[in-house]
Amino acid sequence: MDRASIEDKIVFFRFMVGLFYGIGVYASSLFINHLELSRYAWALSIIVYYFTVLFVSALYNPKSKFQLYLRGLATYYGTWLLTAILLSDLLKSIGVAS
């Protein structure tokens, strides 16, 4: 990652945060009703994304507001949604979860 650009580092950082958040949402879905969890997961995702803005600002010193606020936004949301969905489907298909 030493030769990666600032934008690549920001996208990768938000990918990792989305991955961990998706795992957390899936783990929470094992204990909380899905409809109730959805409400909290979406609200909390905004807060988590805001903290990524703070970390990106401190770690990478972005040169524009686009890099700070929008770079990696779709990556973050896509990653956490796909992680939760894929974990759910995968564990259902192998018979671990119902």
Side-chain angles (χ1 to χ4, degrees), residues 46-94:
I46 296 167
I47 296 167
V48 170
Y49 189 79
Y50 176 73
F51 279 106
T52 69
V53 169
L54 296 176
F55 278 105
V56 163
S57 176
L59 292 175
Y60 303 119
N61 194 20
K63 305 206 182 330
S64 69
K65 293 199 184 287
F66 178 80
Q67 287 179 336
L68 181 61
Y69 294 108
L70 296 178
R71 179 63 62 204
L73 177 67
T75 302
Y76 167 73
Y77 278 101
T79 302
W80 85 259
L81 288 169
L82 286 174
T83 300
I85 292 168
L86 290 175
L87 281 174
S88 176
D89 287 347
L90 176 67
L91 294 178
K92 282 180 187 176
S93 70
I94 61 175

Side-chain angles (χ1 to χ4, degrees), residues 13-42:
F13 174 73
R14 290 194 170 136
F15 168 79
M16 294 304 294
V17 171
L19 182 67
F20 287 119
Y21 188 72
I23 292 169
V25 167
Y26 173 73
S28 299
S29 75
L30 298 174
F31 304 105
I32 301 173
N33 179 6
H34 292 164
L35 291 176
E36 189 173 334
L37 175 64
S38 176
R39 195 173 30 177
Y40 296 117
W42 279 101

